Amino acid sequence: GKDGYRHYMEKELHEHPLVIGQTLQRMIDPATRKVTLPDLPFDLATVPRAVITACGSAFYAGMVGRYWLEEIARLPVDIDVASEMRYRNPPLTPGSLGLLISQSGETADTLAALRSLRADAIHILSVLNVEHSTMARESDVILGTVAGPEISVASTKAFTAQLTILACLTIATARARGKLDPLGEEELVAALMDLPSRAAEVFNQGAAIRQMASIVAEARDVLYLGRGSMFPVAMEGALKLKEISYIHAEAYAAGEMKHGPISLIDRTVPIVASVPSTPLFDKTLSNLQEAKARGGRLLVFTDTEGAERVSAIAEQVVVLPRVHDFVAPILQTIPVQMLAYEVAVLKGTDVDQPRNLAKSVTVE
Ligand code: F6R
Protein backbone atom coordinates (compact mmCIF):
# COMPACT_ATOMS: atom_id res chain seq x y z
CA GLY A 1 0.00 0.00 0.00
CA LYS A 2 0.86 3.68 0.02
CA ASP A 3 1.71 3.71 3.75
CA GLY A 4 -0.28 6.89 4.33
CA TYR A 5 1.26 8.80 1.42
CA ARG A 6 -1.06 10.47 -1.11
CA HIS A 7 0.37 8.55 -4.05
CA TYR A 8 2.91 5.81 -4.73
CA MET A 9 5.10 8.51 -6.27
CA GLU A 10 5.21 10.40 -2.97
CA LYS A 11 6.02 7.20 -1.07
CA GLU A 12 8.75 6.31 -3.56
CA LEU A 13 10.23 9.82 -3.39
CA HIS A 14 10.58 9.36 0.36
CA GLU A 15 12.45 6.10 -0.26
CA HIS A 16 15.39 7.88 -1.93
CA PRO A 17 17.64 7.89 1.19
CA LEU A 18 16.92 4.22 1.93
CA VAL A 19 17.43 3.06 -1.64
CA ILE A 20 20.70 4.95 -2.08
CA GLY A 21 21.92 3.40 1.19
CA GLN A 22 20.89 -0.14 0.22
CA THR A 23 22.53 0.18 -3.18
CA LEU A 24 25.76 1.42 -1.57
CA GLN A 25 25.70 -1.47 0.89
CA ARG A 26 25.80 -3.84 -2.02
CA MET A 27 28.60 -1.98 -3.83
CA ILE A 28 30.94 -0.92 -1.01
CA ASP A 29 32.80 -3.31 1.27
CA PRO A 30 32.14 -2.04 4.81
CA ALA A 31 35.55 -3.21 6.09
CA THR A 32 37.79 -1.73 3.41
CA ARG A 33 35.40 1.04 2.27
CA LYS A 34 36.27 0.18 -1.31
CA VAL A 35 33.93 -0.34 -4.24
CA THR A 36 33.65 -4.04 -5.03
CA LEU A 37 32.21 -5.29 -8.31
CA PRO A 38 31.16 -8.84 -9.13
CA ASP A 39 33.63 -10.81 -11.29
CA LEU A 40 33.61 -9.29 -14.76
CA PRO A 41 34.20 -11.30 -17.94
CA PHE A 42 36.26 -8.37 -19.28
CA ASP A 43 38.86 -5.98 -17.88
CA LEU A 44 37.89 -2.41 -16.99
CA ALA A 45 41.57 -1.45 -17.21
CA THR A 46 41.72 -2.13 -20.94
CA VAL A 47 38.23 -1.58 -22.40
CA PRO A 48 38.88 0.96 -25.16
CA ARG A 49 35.61 2.91 -24.84
CA ALA A 50 32.18 2.78 -23.26
CA VAL A 51 28.90 3.01 -25.13
CA ILE A 52 25.88 3.93 -23.01
CA THR A 53 22.27 3.54 -24.06
CA ALA A 54 18.84 3.64 -22.40
CA CYS A 55 15.45 5.37 -22.70
CA GLY A 56 13.82 8.25 -20.84
CA SER A 57 14.97 8.84 -17.28
CA ALA A 58 17.39 5.92 -17.48
CA PHE A 59 19.05 7.70 -20.41
CA TYR A 60 19.51 10.83 -18.27
CA ALA A 61 21.14 8.66 -15.60
CA GLY A 62 23.45 7.45 -18.38
CA MET A 63 24.29 11.05 -19.28
CA VAL A 64 25.43 11.71 -15.72
CA GLY A 65 27.43 8.47 -15.98
CA ARG A 66 29.08 9.82 -19.11
CA TYR A 67 30.26 12.98 -17.32
CA TRP A 68 31.66 10.87 -14.47
CA LEU A 69 33.36 8.17 -16.56
CA GLU A 70 35.01 10.71 -18.84
CA GLU A 71 36.09 13.14 -16.14
CA ILE A 72 37.11 10.76 -13.37
CA ALA A 73 37.98 7.47 -15.13
CA ARG A 74 39.20 9.17 -18.36
CA LEU A 75 37.24 6.58 -20.38
CA PRO A 76 35.88 7.85 -23.72
CA VAL A 77 32.08 7.47 -23.83
CA ASP A 78 29.51 7.41 -26.64
CA ILE A 79 25.89 7.79 -25.59
CA ASP A 80 22.54 7.85 -27.33
CA VAL A 81 18.92 6.99 -26.63
CA ALA A 82 18.25 3.33 -27.42
CA SER A 83 15.66 4.05 -30.13
CA GLU A 84 18.41 5.85 -32.10
CA MET A 85 21.32 3.63 -31.10
CA ARG A 86 19.61 0.48 -32.38
CA TYR A 87 19.37 1.82 -35.95
CA ARG A 88 22.43 4.05 -36.14
CA ASN A 89 24.88 1.29 -36.97
CA PRO A 90 27.78 3.27 -35.49
CA PRO A 91 31.37 2.08 -36.04
CA LEU A 92 32.02 0.54 -32.61
CA THR A 93 35.31 -0.72 -31.23
CA PRO A 94 34.96 -4.45 -30.44
CA GLY A 95 35.66 -5.18 -26.79
CA SER A 96 34.15 -1.87 -25.66
CA LEU A 97 32.02 -1.70 -22.55
CA GLY A 98 28.30 -1.51 -23.34
CA LEU A 99 26.41 0.08 -20.49
CA LEU A 100 22.66 -0.50 -20.63
CA ILE A 101 20.41 1.08 -18.04
CA SER A 102 16.81 0.10 -17.33
CA GLN A 103 14.50 -0.06 -14.34
CA SER A 104 12.28 -2.78 -15.81
CA GLY A 105 14.82 -4.65 -17.94
CA GLU A 106 12.02 -5.09 -20.49
CA THR A 107 12.05 -1.83 -22.50
CA ALA A 108 11.81 -2.86 -26.17
CA ASP A 109 14.25 -0.32 -27.60
CA THR A 110 16.84 -0.86 -24.86
CA LEU A 111 16.63 -4.63 -25.32
CA ALA A 112 17.02 -4.27 -29.09
CA ALA A 113 20.04 -1.98 -28.59
CA LEU A 114 21.52 -4.57 -26.21
CA ARG A 115 21.18 -7.27 -28.86
CA SER A 116 22.72 -5.15 -31.59
CA LEU A 117 25.68 -4.16 -29.36
CA ARG A 118 26.20 -7.82 -28.47
CA ALA A 119 26.26 -8.72 -32.13
CA ASP A 120 29.07 -6.14 -32.54
CA ALA A 121 31.21 -7.87 -29.86
CA ILE A 122 30.53 -5.27 -27.16
CA HIS A 123 30.61 -6.51 -23.52
CA ILE A 124 27.19 -5.96 -21.97
CA LEU A 125 26.96 -4.61 -18.43
CA SER A 126 23.36 -3.77 -17.54
CA VAL A 127 22.21 -1.64 -14.62
CA LEU A 128 18.80 -3.09 -13.80
CA ASN A 129 16.23 -2.86 -11.06
CA VAL A 130 14.35 -6.03 -12.03
CA GLU A 131 17.08 -8.63 -11.72
CA HIS A 132 15.16 -11.50 -13.36
CA SER A 133 14.20 -9.54 -16.49
CA THR A 134 14.86 -10.30 -20.15
CA MET A 135 17.78 -7.86 -20.25
CA ALA A 136 19.29 -9.55 -17.19
CA ARG A 137 19.27 -12.91 -19.00
CA GLU A 138 20.95 -11.46 -22.09
CA SER A 139 23.70 -9.46 -20.36
CA ASP A 140 27.28 -10.55 -19.60
CA VAL A 141 26.95 -9.07 -16.13
CA ILE A 142 24.35 -7.06 -14.26
CA LEU A 143 24.58 -4.54 -11.45
CA GLY A 144 21.33 -4.42 -9.51
CA THR A 145 19.85 -1.18 -8.27
CA VAL A 146 18.40 -2.12 -4.90
CA ALA A 147 15.35 0.15 -5.28
CA GLY A 148 12.58 -2.38 -4.66
CA PRO A 149 9.41 -2.37 -6.79
CA GLU A 150 8.59 0.98 -8.36
CA ILE A 151 4.82 1.34 -8.81
CA SER A 152 4.50 4.97 -9.91
CA VAL A 153 4.77 5.22 -13.71
CA ALA A 154 7.12 8.19 -13.30
CA SER A 155 10.47 6.85 -12.16
CA THR A 156 11.94 8.33 -8.98
CA LYS A 157 13.95 6.10 -6.64
CA ALA A 158 15.15 3.82 -9.45
CA PHE A 159 16.85 6.85 -11.00
CA THR A 160 18.93 7.79 -7.94
CA ALA A 161 19.77 4.10 -7.47
CA GLN A 162 21.00 3.99 -11.09
CA LEU A 163 23.16 7.05 -10.41
CA THR A 164 24.52 5.40 -7.27
CA ILE A 165 25.57 2.32 -9.26
CA LEU A 166 27.12 4.44 -12.01
CA ALA A 167 29.06 6.43 -9.41
CA CYS A 168 30.46 3.19 -7.94
CA LEU A 169 31.25 1.85 -11.40
CA THR A 170 33.11 5.09 -12.15
CA ILE A 171 35.24 4.68 -9.02
CA ALA A 172 36.09 1.05 -9.87
CA THR A 173 36.87 1.96 -13.48
CA ALA A 174 39.04 4.92 -12.48
CA ARG A 175 40.97 2.73 -10.03
CA ALA A 176 41.46 -0.01 -12.63
CA ARG A 177 42.79 2.52 -15.14
CA GLY A 178 45.18 4.11 -12.65
CA LYS A 179 43.25 7.39 -12.51
CA LEU A 180 42.32 7.24 -8.82
CA ASP A 181 44.70 6.64 -5.93
CA PRO A 182 43.53 5.16 -2.60
CA LEU A 183 43.09 8.62 -1.06
CA GLY A 184 41.01 9.75 -4.01
CA GLU A 185 38.83 6.67 -3.74
CA GLU A 186 38.41 7.22 0.00
CA GLU A 187 37.21 10.77 -0.65
CA LEU A 188 34.64 9.72 -3.29
CA VAL A 189 33.39 6.78 -1.21
CA ALA A 190 32.99 9.07 1.81
CA ALA A 191 30.94 11.44 -0.38
CA LEU A 192 28.65 8.56 -1.37
CA MET A 193 28.31 7.22 2.18
CA ASP A 194 27.30 10.71 3.34
CA LEU A 195 24.45 10.83 0.80
CA PRO A 196 21.62 8.93 2.55
CA SER A 197 21.64 11.38 5.50
CA ARG A 198 21.94 14.44 3.26
CA ALA A 199 19.15 13.09 1.01
CA ALA A 200 16.89 12.74 4.06
CA GLU A 201 17.45 16.44 4.83
CA VAL A 202 16.01 17.42 1.43
CA PHE A 203 12.53 16.60 2.77
CA ASN A 204 12.88 19.48 5.27
CA GLN A 205 12.43 21.73 2.22
CA GLY A 206 8.91 20.46 1.48
CA ALA A 207 7.24 23.83 2.22
CA ALA A 208 9.66 25.76 0.00
CA ILE A 209 9.20 23.22 -2.82
CA ARG A 210 5.40 23.48 -2.54
CA GLN A 211 5.66 27.26 -2.76
CA MET A 212 7.78 26.89 -5.90
CA ALA A 213 5.19 24.43 -7.24
CA SER A 214 2.45 27.06 -6.90
CA ILE A 215 4.38 29.31 -9.33
CA VAL A 216 5.16 26.50 -11.78
CA ALA A 217 1.56 25.21 -11.74
CA GLU A 218 0.38 28.55 -13.24
CA ALA A 219 2.78 28.36 -16.18
CA ARG A 220 2.21 26.97 -19.66
CA ASP A 221 5.91 26.54 -20.39
CA VAL A 222 8.88 26.09 -18.08
CA LEU A 223 12.61 26.20 -18.83
CA TYR A 224 15.02 23.99 -16.85
CA LEU A 225 18.72 24.89 -16.80
CA GLY A 226 21.89 23.21 -15.57
CA ARG A 227 25.54 22.80 -16.58
CA GLY A 228 27.78 19.73 -16.54
CA SER A 229 26.24 16.87 -14.59
CA MET A 230 23.38 19.23 -13.66
CA PHE A 231 22.28 19.33 -17.31
CA PRO A 232 20.88 15.77 -17.17
CA VAL A 233 19.31 16.67 -13.81
CA ALA A 234 17.53 19.56 -15.57
CA MET A 235 16.40 17.10 -18.29
CA GLU A 236 15.06 14.75 -15.63
CA GLY A 237 13.18 17.62 -13.98
CA ALA A 238 11.65 18.73 -17.28
CA LEU A 239 10.63 15.19 -18.27
CA LYS A 240 9.00 14.55 -14.91
CA LEU A 241 7.05 17.83 -15.08
CA LYS A 242 5.77 17.06 -18.61
CA GLU A 243 4.94 13.50 -17.71
CA ILE A 244 2.76 14.03 -14.67
CA SER A 245 1.58 17.66 -14.74
CA TYR A 246 1.17 17.99 -18.55
CA ILE A 247 2.97 21.34 -18.47
CA HIS A 248 5.40 21.84 -21.33
CA ALA A 249 9.01 22.00 -20.18
CA GLU A 250 12.37 22.16 -21.92
CA ALA A 251 15.78 21.52 -20.46
CA TYR A 252 18.83 23.33 -21.77
CA ALA A 253 22.50 23.27 -20.97
CA ALA A 254 22.69 26.72 -19.36
CA GLY A 255 25.36 27.92 -21.80
CA GLU A 256 23.11 27.11 -24.78
CA MET A 257 20.38 29.49 -23.62
CA LYS A 258 21.76 32.45 -25.52
CA HIS A 259 21.78 30.41 -28.74
CA GLY A 260 18.01 30.37 -29.00
CA PRO A 261 15.77 29.73 -26.03
CA ILE A 262 16.59 33.13 -24.47
CA SER A 263 14.03 34.56 -26.89
CA LEU A 264 11.31 32.65 -25.01
CA ILE A 265 12.04 34.31 -21.70
CA ASP A 266 9.47 36.60 -20.15
CA ARG A 267 7.44 36.74 -16.92
CA THR A 268 5.25 33.84 -18.02
CA VAL A 269 8.05 31.26 -18.48
CA PRO A 270 9.55 30.37 -15.10
CA ILE A 271 13.16 29.16 -15.13
CA VAL A 272 14.06 26.28 -12.83
CA ALA A 273 17.82 26.15 -12.30
CA SER A 274 19.86 23.39 -10.60
CA VAL A 275 22.98 25.18 -9.39
CA PRO A 276 24.95 23.63 -6.52
CA SER A 277 28.22 25.35 -5.60
CA THR A 278 30.49 23.29 -7.86
CA PRO A 279 33.26 24.82 -10.02
CA LEU A 280 30.56 25.55 -12.66
CA PHE A 281 28.53 27.73 -10.26
CA ASP A 282 29.82 31.10 -11.54
CA LYS A 283 29.24 30.16 -15.17
CA THR A 284 25.65 29.18 -14.50
CA LEU A 285 25.11 32.24 -12.31
CA SER A 286 26.03 34.51 -15.19
CA ASN A 287 23.52 32.69 -17.43
CA LEU A 288 20.88 33.26 -14.76
CA GLN A 289 21.77 36.97 -14.61
CA GLU A 290 21.20 37.16 -18.37
CA ALA A 291 17.81 35.52 -17.96
CA LYS A 292 16.92 37.85 -15.08
CA ALA A 293 17.84 40.89 -17.17
CA ARG A 294 15.20 39.78 -19.69
CA GLY A 295 12.45 39.58 -17.12
CA GLY A 296 12.88 35.88 -16.28
CA ARG A 297 11.59 34.55 -12.97
CA LEU A 298 14.29 32.41 -11.41
CA LEU A 299 13.44 29.41 -9.23
CA VAL A 300 16.72 28.03 -7.97
CA PHE A 301 17.86 24.79 -6.35
CA THR A 302 21.24 25.38 -4.76
CA ASP A 303 23.05 24.63 -1.49
CA THR A 304 23.93 26.59 1.62
CA GLU A 305 27.00 28.09 -0.07
CA GLY A 306 25.29 28.97 -3.33
CA ALA A 307 22.20 30.46 -1.70
CA GLU A 308 23.94 33.66 -0.58
CA ARG A 309 25.20 34.38 -4.07
CA VAL A 310 21.99 33.71 -5.95
CA SER A 311 19.42 35.18 -3.55
CA ALA A 312 19.70 38.72 -4.97
CA ILE A 313 18.41 37.64 -8.40
CA ALA A 314 16.22 34.64 -7.60
CA GLU A 315 12.49 34.87 -6.96
CA GLN A 316 12.71 31.72 -4.90
CA VAL A 317 15.59 29.62 -3.60
CA VAL A 318 15.41 26.10 -2.23
CA VAL A 319 18.49 25.56 -0.05
CA LEU A 320 19.81 21.99 -0.09
CA PRO A 321 22.61 20.47 1.97
CA ARG A 322 26.12 21.05 0.65
CA VAL A 323 27.58 17.77 -0.62
CA HIS A 324 30.75 16.77 -2.49
CA ASP A 325 30.65 17.93 -6.15
CA PHE A 326 30.82 14.29 -7.29
CA VAL A 327 27.46 13.33 -5.74
CA ALA A 328 25.69 16.67 -6.29
CA PRO A 329 23.66 15.37 -9.29
CA ILE A 330 22.23 12.59 -7.10
CA LEU A 331 21.16 14.97 -4.35
CA GLN A 332 19.85 17.63 -6.78
CA THR A 333 17.61 15.09 -8.53
CA ILE A 334 15.42 14.65 -5.47
CA PRO A 335 14.01 18.20 -5.30
CA VAL A 336 13.33 18.46 -9.07
CA GLN A 337 11.29 15.25 -8.86
CA MET A 338 9.51 16.56 -5.73
CA LEU A 339 8.69 19.79 -7.57
CA ALA A 340 7.06 17.89 -10.46
CA TYR A 341 5.10 15.84 -7.95
CA GLU A 342 3.76 18.89 -6.08
CA VAL A 343 2.82 20.62 -9.34
CA ALA A 344 0.89 17.53 -10.45
CA VAL A 345 -0.92 17.43 -7.10
CA LEU A 346 -1.92 21.10 -7.53
CA LYS A 347 -3.11 20.38 -11.08
CA GLY A 348 -5.11 17.39 -9.85
CA THR A 349 -3.76 14.95 -12.44
CA ASP A 350 -3.62 11.19 -12.03
CA VAL A 351 -0.09 11.28 -10.61
CA ASP A 352 0.67 7.56 -10.48
CA GLN A 353 -0.98 6.74 -13.82
CA PRO A 354 -0.44 9.70 -16.17
CA ARG A 355 -2.45 9.64 -19.38
CA ASN A 356 -1.01 7.79 -22.41
CA LEU A 357 1.87 6.26 -20.42
CA ALA A 358 2.68 2.73 -19.31
CA LYS A 359 5.20 1.70 -16.66
CA SER A 360 7.08 -0.53 -18.99
CA VAL A 361 7.31 0.15 -22.73
CA THR A 362 7.61 -3.31 -24.25
CA VAL A 363 6.66 -2.34 -27.80
CA GLU A 364 8.73 -0.19 -30.11
C1 F6R B 1 10.25 8.61 -16.70
C2 F6R B 1 10.12 7.19 -16.98
C3 F6R B 1 10.51 6.67 -18.32
C4 F6R B 1 11.44 5.46 -18.17
C5 F6R B 1 11.76 4.83 -19.53
C6 F6R B 1 12.73 3.67 -19.41
O1 F6R B 1 9.74 8.93 -15.45
O2 F6R B 1 9.71 6.45 -16.13
O3 F6R B 1 11.14 7.67 -19.09
O4 F6R B 1 12.60 5.88 -17.50
O5 F6R B 1 10.58 4.40 -20.14
O6 F6R B 1 12.18 2.62 -18.66
P1 F6R B 1 13.10 1.47 -18.10
O7 F6R B 1 14.03 2.12 -17.11
O8 F6R B 1 12.19 0.48 -17.46
O9 F6R B 1 13.87 0.91 -19.25
Side-chain angles (χ1 to χ4, degrees):
K2 294 181 216 161
D3 295 352
Y5 289 107
R6 292 169 287 178
H7 301 92
Y8 281 105
M9 185 174 175
E10 186 180 37
K11 177 186 170 197
E12 290 165 5
L13 279 165
H14 279 81
E15 287 170 0
H16 276 302
L18 179 76
V19 157
I20 295 167
Q22 284 173 350
T23 303
L24 287 174
Q25 260 178 34
R26 203 189 267 188
M27 299 295 289
I28 295 170
D29 181 316
T32 61
R33 287 174 68 96
K34 287 199 167 301
V35 172
T36 49
L37 297 182
D39 285 337
L40 303 177
F42 50 86
D43 189 356
L44 286 175
T46 55
V47 290
R49 307 180 69 84
V51 44
I52 304 182
T53 190
C55 300
S57 283
F59 170 70
Y60 303 144
M63 280 185 69
V64 176
R66 188 252 301 242
Y67 284 100
W68 282 334
L69 284 168
E70 288 184 341
E71 190 173 327
I72 300 167
R74 310 306 300 158
L75 180 65
V77 176
D78 301 312
I79 179 165
D80 206 347
V81 290
S83 55
E84 287 298 312
M85 185 67 85
R86 63 181 291 192
Y87 296 118
R88 254 177 56 198
N89 194 18
L92 298 166
T93 312
S96 292
L97 169 66
L99 208 50
L100 286 284
I101 307 163
S102 175
Q103 189 283 126
S104 63
E106 302 295 346
T107 301
D109 282 320
T110 314
L111 179 60
L114 181 158
R115 289 173 178 160
S116 90
L117 292 177
R118 260 201 105 92
D120 279 338
I122 304 301
H123 303 295
I124 306 294
L125 187 161
S126 296
V127 178
L128 302 172
N129 197 40
V130 181
E131 295 187 31
H132 47 77
S133 52
T134 309
M135 284 180 60
R137 285 196 299 278
E138 299 193 19
S139 300
D140 294 314
V141 60
I142 69 163
L143 293 176
T145 48
V146 195
E150 194 177 63
I151 310 281
S152 156
V153 163
S155 183
T156 53
K157 59 178 180 167
F159 182 83
T160 51
Q162 287 160 353
L163 292 180
T164 304
I165 294 278
L166 293 169
C168 293
L169 181 65
T170 299
I171 292 173
T173 308
R175 185 209 302 137
R177 301 174 84 79
K179 305 298 178 194
L180 195 64
D181 60 21
L183 263 174
E185 176 160 0
E186 209 174 286
E187 179 184 328
L188 299 185
V189 167
L192 282 166
M193 304 281 266
D194 183 44
L195 254 183
S197 328
R198 301 288 84 77
E201 288 167 24
V202 173
F203 296 92
N204 300 336
Q205 297 303 313
I209 292 171
R210 280 189 292 278
Q211 197 186 324
M212 203 182 261
S214 66
I215 298 170
V216 172
E218 299 297 317
R220 218 188 59 171
D221 306 283
V222 183
L223 206 56
Y224 281 72
L225 298 179
R227 266 181 193 261
S229 62
M230 290 311 133
F231 173 39
V233 171
M235 297 178 94
E236 165 66 2
L239 177 67
K240 220 108 289 184
L241 188 75
K242 285 182 270 212
E243 222 178 350
I244 60 172
S245 78
Y246 315 144
I247 293 173
H248 171 242
E250 289 289 331
Y252 266 88
E256 268 292 290
M257 196 183 61
K258 63 176 63 146
H259 300 287
I262 199 163
S263 69
L264 288 173
I265 292 173
D266 65 20
R267 295 278 309 158
T268 68
V269 184
I271 295 163
V272 176
S274 297
V275 204
S277 47
T278 66
L280 292 173
F281 182 87
D282 288 339
K283 294 285 173 198
T284 317
L285 187 66
S286 74
N287 299 130
L288 296 184
Q289 278 156 346
E290 290 156 8
K292 169 79 176 173
R294 285 151 186 90
R297 301 172 70 179
L298 304 178
L299 310 177
V300 180
F301 292 110
T302 183
D303 53 33
T304 37
E305 242 178 275
E308 287 172 34
R309 305 201 35 222
V310 82
S311 60
I313 56 168
E315 174 160 344
Q316 212 202 324
V317 181
V318 172
V319 186
L320 303 160
R322 173 87 168 98
V323 292
H324 193 290
D325 296 346
F326 174 50
V327 299
I330 308 181
L331 188 93
Q332 291 274 335
T333 292
I334 301 172
V336 296
Q337 292 178 343
M338 287 169 73
L339 175 65
Y341 173 75
E342 295 297 348
V343 174
V345 168
L346 287 173
K347 298 284 265 188
T349 59
D350 188 350
V351 174
D352 286 333
Q353 294 283 339
R355 68 187 182 201
N356 310 337
L357 285 170
K359 181 64 184 161
S360 170
V361 184
T362 54
V363 289
E364 183 175 353

